Amino acid sequence: MKLAPQSIPYRALQKVSGVVVVLIFFASSSDLGVAVSAGIAAAILLVVGGYELAYYRRYEYELTEDTLDISSGVISRREREIPYGRIQNVDVSRSIAQRAIGVAAVDLETAGGSSTEGSIRFVTPAEATRLRREVQRRKSATASGERADDVSGESPAAGPVEEELFAISPRELAMVGALSFDGRLIGLLAFLGSGSFPVLSSYLPGASAAALTVAAVVAVGALFLVSWILGAAVSFSNYYGFRLSRAGDELRYERGLLRRYSGSIPTEKVQTLTISDNPAKRALGYATLSIETAGYAPGQGGDYGSQAAVPIARIDRVYELAREVEPFGSPSFDRPPKRIRWRYVVRYAVMVGVLLGIAYAVNWYVAIDLPWYAPAALLLAVPAAAHLKWKHRGYWLGEDHLLTRNGFWNRSVKAVPYYRIQNVIDSRTVFQRRWNVATIVADTAGTNSLVGSDAAAVDFDVAEAVKLRKELNDRLQTALAEQRDRRTMFEWFEDDVDGDVSATEGRDDRTEQSVIADAETGRDRIGTDPVDEGGADVDGADVDGADGDGAEKGGNENSTGGDVDQPEDGVVRPDFLPSDRDYSEPAERIDTGEYAVDRNPSDADVAHRSDDRHQEPDPPGDGDGEGTAERTDEERTDEM
Amino acid sequence: MTTQRLHPRVRAVWVLRAVVAALVLSAPVAVAFYFGYLPRWAPAVAGVGFLLIGVGHAILRYRRWSYEIREDALYLDRGVITQVRTTVPLVRIQHVDSRRGPIERGAGLASCVVYTAGSRGADVRIPGLTPTGASDLREELKRLAIRADGEDAV
């Protein structure tokens, strides 16, 4: 497929516009004639136009059976294949100019890489929509193991039914504008202002302290007003016409007044949900929801990363929406120990002290009688602030999610599915050690965590923190095991459809048995000693479950046979002996008749059984599955 | 696997680094002395001060550092001022590097870097390993990661 032809002049103009501005500047300031500069501009335009034409001619994308292929590049060629299963989200955006000439930009994000992986610069809007739909359809087709070709017989337009989850009302839009406040301008002006303050004061030698204070108050007020108007305008145009809907297993959003954004997020790729509010929103009963995936890369900043944020909605509505995406139940947060409030008191008191010091220094430097001791009044607010900080912290362990809560001015509740945890970090600063507390961070691959806003349980008692850390690790392993079981079960159903019925009968209940036993051990484990029995235990059971599968199919991906030597306690421990395989040689292939099998299956140190299976295939009714159930049963009694 | 310590020679690498840092940090003081803003003893005091802090930090850091491969996770315990304990589930390992910087090569050491898809703990470095130890650890982690079999590590 090709890009839209309109994209050639648009891209050329986009690139040249900056150069032209510089040229005009030069032409007006130097003695270069208008004709000459116009000539130069035309020449540049011609060159860039030629380049863009070549770019257009050499850019091609194609939706194949299981990858999206993009080949591009004029001078250095690049061919890229993105598997559908790895695509995190698809975003389409159209600025005013792009809408006028009828093009749209499509961005496909995967978790890897440092920038947008598939950036298709300018196709027609209809094509953009088609791309998005096709990617989703083919993705769900690959996920369910069907061939994309099989489904393509149906009409491509017929996707899953779209069900609207949220549409912003004018009232809410007005509220978004009113409540958003762009603090960046204040920061910038304060930074500039602090530099010019001594200069200003030298201009106003006769001004009294009172007049100065009034001027400062007015200036600050104006600053706030301007920031507020700016923030309101920006968020109004960002969230104009916001709409979130659900279609099958993906979320779709649409928003924007000047620049129109739309896109899709697969629900299975959601890393973290964040529900944030501030005192104003809390008082009015509103909150914000943002959905994070692993797609956006660092440095893409700005609007990215929270594209699908529901800007504002009633709190109950926000929770309802969040549960729609990740059913986390109703949380009840555990707070840090009460004594930790003293820590915050000390911290804030020190901060007030520093502020006093600065005020005193400024007063001394400017040599005008300013009321430098005024910040001392803040000391009165310290206990309340400490209490509020403590009150808004907390964490909660749900069935499948960790929820954390932090912050008073900008409170955020984060819900992380255990299955999404990447690693667990327990950190204790010098000060935290004095209070015998620790912070536990559950790191995910989400984007916002890059700016340091991971889900964190802050300032919990060390003993509790250590328990939480282990618990999180355990629950991750349990979630992984469950996910694995789900997949095994899935393969089974798949098999039953086309396999012969007589052979399937026997093994069917066998797997079911082992799967159930497996799930039970998983659940049991939560209460008991965390690390020791861990994943290897589940692994052991899992291996057996998969074994029946592999044996019948004639051995394929799961060569992890039952002949892994299991010690008495049934716990398969990782083997730390290095394998003696020479990696400079390709792996030996064995022809099993159906297809070739690597002699070193995935190099995991597990016995492969491709050849002995050939000689003596496991009879379907042997005691293999029962053995599993027995073993796990024994184990459970042991644990009890 | 029991808790592993780093190779004692890593202290030499860290101390060397502390010396370099002390030199760099006390350079402005030396310049100030050269232009006559500070008395003669200032650069020496600053240098010795920075050096003591750096060396102390290096030694404490070595004492704190330990790592352990457990059944389903890699566990690291480190940090002097802020103590950090990281649990990296083996399923989440994306790839593993063993690397040797110039100073490490000089000391006959190597390190091993474990990458996950996470953001804050995206790459975890285990310094102070012998070259063979580092490549063994790399192979071992690779094997365990494959064995742990994360279908979708993100």
Side-chain angles (χ1 to χ4, degrees):
Chain A
M1 303 285 284
K2 289 265 176 208
L3 299 174
Q6 303 98 295
S7 66
I8 308 171
Y10 181 72
R11 281 178 62 99
L13 283 174
Q14 211 182 11
K15 273 202 183 140
V16 165
S17 56
V19 181
V20 168
V21 169
V22 172
L23 261 183
I24 289 171
F25 180 72
F26 264 111
S28 59
S29 64
S30 71
D31 51 353
L32 220 61
V34 179
V36 177
S37 44
I40 294 174
I44 292 174
L45 198 62
L46 212 65
V47 170
V48 175
Y51 177 84
E52 291 306 335
L53 183 65
Y55 182 86
Y56 168 78
R57 291 179 65 117
R58 308 213 65 181
Y59 194 103
E60 211 146 330
Y61 63 91
E62 191 188 350
L63 292 153
T64 67
E65 192 183 308
D66 40 27
T67 57
L68 168 69
D69 298 0
I70 301 176
S71 52
S72 64
V74 176
I75 293 158
S76 65
R77 295 282 293 165
R78 186 179 69 187
E79 318 236 327
R80 182 170 268 180
E81 294 180 13
I82 307 173
Y84 296 126
R86 293 286 186 243
I87 293 175
Q88 297 273 345
N89 29 15
V90 183
D91 297 311
V92 179
S93 73
R94 310 171 61 195
S95 67
I96 295 186
Q98 287 163 10
R99 272 195 279 174
I101 64 166
V103 291
V106 181
D107 287 320
L108 298 123
E109 305 278 355
T110 71
S114 54
S115 59
T116 300
E117 281 70 31
S119 142
I120 302 174
R121 277 291 170 273
F122 312 132
V123 289
T124 58
E127 174 63 11
T129 316
R130 191 191 75 92
L131 257 175
R132 205 185 64 200
R133 291 230 172 105
E134 278 298 283
V135 166
Q136 188 214 359
R137 198 173 58 80
R138 282 161 196 257
K139 182 156 64 186
S140 42
T142 23
S144 59
E146 295 168 59
R147 289 166 60 89
D149 291 348
D150 299 347
V151 239
S152 61
E154 299 162 26
S155 69
V161 192
E162 202 168 293
E163 164 203 0
E164 184 163 284
L165 293 178
F166 180 80
I168 200 163
S169 65
R171 199 179 119 85
E172 282 163 334
L173 187 61
M175 198 164 280
V176 177
L179 289 179
S180 52
F181 181 85
D182 204 340
R184 279 173 290 186
L185 186 75
I186 295 202
L188 186 70
L189 287 184
F191 176 72
L192 293 177
S194 64
S196 61
F197 187 68
V199 185
L200 277 179
S201 64
S202 68
Y203 277 111
L204 307 162
S208 66
L212 255 183
T213 317
V214 167
V217 166
V218 168
V220 167
L223 204 64
F224 269 78
L225 196 69
V226 169
S227 311
W228 181 64
I229 289 170
L230 270 181
V234 167
S235 49
F236 183 81
S237 90
N238 263 343
Y239 290 114
Y240 178 82
F242 181 88
R243 208 170 142 268
L244 186 72
S245 58
R246 186 187 194 123
D249 54 358
E250 73 171 11
L251 298 168
R252 292 195 185 143
Y253 69 88
E254 239 175 89
R255 63 178 177 83
L257 175 65
L258 302 179
R259 197 184 178 92
R260 201 78 188 132
Y261 297 91
S262 62
S264 61
I265 301 159
T267 39
E268 60 176 39
K269 301 280 187 195
V270 171
Q271 299 278 340
T272 314
L273 291 180
T274 309
I275 298 165
S276 51
D277 53 25
N278 54 35
K281 284 185 191 169
R282 277 204 291 278
L284 296 167
Y286 283 88
T288 300
L289 170 73
S290 57
I291 301 165
E292 271 175 51
T293 66
Y296 303 104
Q300 274 180 297
D303 289 332
Y304 283 91
S306 57
Q307 294 261 10
V310 172
I312 203 162
R314 307 278 327 174
I315 285 180
D316 47 345
R317 189 90 187 83
V318 163
Y319 273 93
E320 200 181 300
L321 278 172
R323 285 196 196 101
E324 186 87 22
V325 183
E326 287 288 346
F328 53 74
S330 43
S332 60
F333 289 97
D334 285 343
R335 295 209 174 94
K338 283 189 173 165
R339 61 190 166 87
I340 211 66
R341 284 179 291 186
W342 285 107
R343 186 178 166 221
Y344 302 143
V345 166
V346 171
R347 186 196 288 178
Y348 290 137
V350 168
M351 273 158 72
V352 171
V354 168
L355 208 60
L356 270 176
I358 291 173
Y360 181 77
V362 166
N363 182 48
W364 173 77
Y365 186 74
V366 178
I368 304 173
D369 242 357
L370 289 173
W372 62 269
Y373 38 82
L378 286 174
L379 279 173
L380 291 175
V382 162
H387 177 74
L388 286 173
K389 191 168 186 79
W390 166 81
K391 199 178 159 216
H392 288 94
R393 280 207 198 288
Y395 80 92
W396 179 66
L397 291 169
E399 180 89 2
D400 296 308
H401 300 82
L402 163 75
L403 270 78
T404 64
R405 181 180 63 181
N406 281 303
F408 169 74
W409 293 110
N410 204 344
R411 187 173 73 166
S412 65
V413 174
K414 290 186 173 283
V416 179
Y418 297 132
Y419 182 62
R420 292 292 171 207
I421 293 176
Q422 287 287 336
N423 42 52
V424 182
I425 304 165
D426 164 347
S427 65
R428 301 162 200 178
T429 62
V430 187
F431 308 107
Q432 279 182 314
R433 286 208 291 280
R434 284 172 61 119
W435 290 92
N436 199 31
V437 291
T439 295
I440 301 287
V441 176
D443 191 13
T444 66
T447 325
N448 276 352
S449 32
L450 290 166
V451 287
S453 59
D454 262 321
V458 185
D459 286 339
F460 281 87
D461 198 80
V462 165
E464 196 179 350
V466 169
K467 217 179 102 211
L468 176 61
R469 187 182 73 209
K470 288 188 175 148
E471 186 75 38
L472 285 178
N473 198 33
D474 276 0
R475 292 201 179 195
L476 165 65
Q477 299 296 342
T478 316
L480 285 168
E482 271 168 18
Q483 200 79 6
R484 236 172 272 160
D485 288 344
R486 213 166 294 155
R487 269 199 290 274
T488 344
M489 297 251 272
F490 199 61
E491 274 166 31
W492 276 101
F493 291 130
E494 281 290 293
D495 236 38
D496 285 349
V497 175
D498 39 341
D500 54 332
V501 187
S502 57
T504 32
E505 295 248 275
R507 59 181 179 169
D508 216 324
D509 22 334
R510 255 183 29 198
T511 13
E512 229 165 76
Q513 251 179 9
S514 61
V515 163
I516 291 164
D518 194 354
E520 270 169 19
T521 35
R523 218 162 293 139
D524 274 353
R525 212 158 16 79
I526 294 173
T528 58
D529 185 12
V531 187
D532 283 351
E533 318 267 330
D537 159 23
V538 176
D539 264 354
D542 194 43
V543 160
D544 286 326
D547 175 35
D549 187 16
E552 248 78 41
K553 280 196 199 157
N556 46 5
E557 74 283 356
N558 282 317
S559 313
T560 51
D563 44 353
V564 176
D565 29 293
Q566 276 177 3
E568 285 300 296
D569 55 355
V571 175
V572 182
R573 299 216 158 69
D575 182 357
F576 295 111
L577 292 173
S579 83
D580 49 358
R581 165 151 176 222
D582 180 6
Y583 289 96
S584 59
E585 294 290 315
E588 202 180 328
R589 311 292 276 184
I590 311 151
D591 194 359
T592 57
E594 287 165 18
Y595 38 82
V597 170
D598 192 324
R599 188 179 271 286
N600 294 296
S602 74
D603 286 327
D605 200 20
V606 287
H608 64 92
R609 41 186 307 161
S610 39
D611 35 6
D612 53 25
R613 176 182 299 120
H614 220 59
Q615 287 139 20
E616 32 172 318
D618 258 357
D622 76 342
D624 211 65
E626 284 159 39
T628 314
E630 261 168 41
R631 191 182 57 71
T632 31
D633 274 339
E634 273 168 31
E635 204 173 85
R636 279 166 52 213
T637 41
D638 280 354
E639 278 177 18
M640 288 188 283
Chain B
M1 192 179 186
T2 49
T3 307
Q4 302 280 309
R5 308 301 309 273
L6 303 184
H7 194 283
R9 222 182 299 148
V10 77
R11 278 177 297 186
V13 176
W14 286 341
V15 165
L16 195 69
R17 214 174 280 169
V19 170
V20 173
L23 282 177
V24 170
L25 285 174
S26 49
V29 184
V31 169
F33 157 70
Y34 183 76
F35 288 107
Y37 290 112
L38 287 173
R40 176 181 280 275
W41 49 263
V45 167
V48 169
F50 285 129
L51 193 65
L52 282 180
I53 293 171
V55 170
H57 185 264
I59 289 166
L60 288 176
R61 190 171 165 203
Y62 171 75
R63 277 202 205 152
R64 279 280 310 157
W65 239 108
S66 69
Y67 68 95
E68 185 182 350
I69 301 178
R70 296 188 178 163
E71 265 156 36
D72 46 20
L74 170 67
Y75 177 82
L76 302 112
D77 188 350
R78 64 200 192 280
V80 178
I81 293 164
T82 299
Q83 296 181 348
V84 182
R85 293 165 179 82
T86 313
T87 314
V88 184
L90 297 173
V91 202
R92 296 306 197 202
I93 294 177
Q94 297 273 336
H95 61 278
V96 191
D97 281 357
S98 59
R99 54 164 81 166
R100 305 189 69 190
I103 303 174
E104 282 176 325
R105 274 205 295 270
L109 290 175
S111 47
C112 189
V113 191
V114 180
Y115 295 86
T116 68
S119 33
R120 197 178 292 192
D123 49 335
V124 183
R125 188 188 183 111
I126 304 172
L129 303 166
T130 57
T132 45
S135 51
D136 283 354
L137 184 64
R138 189 194 64 220
E139 285 298 310
E140 204 170 287
L141 285 172
K142 182 202 76 178
R143 228 149 35 79
L144 291 170
I146 292 169
R147 186 187 183 124
D149 180 38
E151 171 79 359
D152 184 357
V154 177

